[in-house]
Amino acid sequence: MTSTMHAVRAHRRGGPEQFVYESAPCPEPSGGEVLVAVYAASITAGELEWDASWTDSLDGTGRDRTPTIPSHEVSGVVAEVGAGVTDLAVGDETSDTEDLSSGLRELSV
């Protein structure tokens, strides 16, 4: 796996005008996680207003997450599995709507 990937990131709060397509560090799956090669992702206007899109808390009082990678809806193919993963394997097609910062990039955990 490479150490960098391409991603759409926002370095401060705002709308699509804040998005930058750039290189970013590749995520690595931890225990219980999989790394997904993202084939499709979507973003809603509403998620740009959610505090959880910009901080690591639902009420906005947590640690700043910028630069953040918007979108929490992705689909793709499992590229790597973390320790303890038994229900997915490399090559499996999958989709996810859980992580609030996962979609607009090449690889996602």
Side-chain angles (χ1 to χ4, degrees), residues 80-93:
E80 190 176 326
V81 296
V85 174
T86 59
D87 55 341
L88 290 170
V90 172
D92 286 352
E93 294 178 345

Side-chain angles (χ1 to χ4, degrees), residues 57-94:
S57 69
L58 294 177
D59 65 3
T61 61
R63 181 186 56 85
D64 181 32
R65 289 175 38 163
T66 56
T68 189
I69 299 172
S71 179
H72 67 283
E73 299 167 333
V74 301
S75 65
V77 173
V78 175
E80 190 176 326
V81 296
V85 174
T86 59
D87 55 341
L88 290 170
V90 172
D92 286 352
E93 294 178 345
T94 187

Side-chain angles (χ1 to χ4, degrees), residues 7-91:
V8 174
R9 302 198 306 175
H11 291 265
R12 64 178 184 257
R13 285 183 185 247
E17 71 281 357
Q18 300 300 329
F19 295 171
V20 179
Y21 182 70
E22 60 190 4
S23 292
C26 281
E28 294 185 20
S30 297
E33 295 180 331
V34 297
L35 184 68
V36 176
V38 176
Y39 288 2
S42 66
I43 186 170
T44 63
E47 72 188 75
L48 297 178
E49 298 173 9
W50 301 338
D51 286 326
S53 294
W54 305 100
T55 67
D56 62 2
S57 69
L58 294 177
D59 65 3
T61 61
R63 181 186 56 85
D64 181 32
R65 289 175 38 163
T66 56
T68 189
I69 299 172
S71 179
H72 67 283
E73 299 167 333
V74 301
S75 65
V77 173
V78 175
E80 190 176 326
V81 296
V85 174
T86 59
D87 55 341
L88 290 170
V90 172

Side-chain angles (χ1 to χ4, degrees), residues 1-5 26 107:
M1 199 59 55
T2 62
S3 61
T4 61
M5 64 177 175
C26 281
L107 298 163

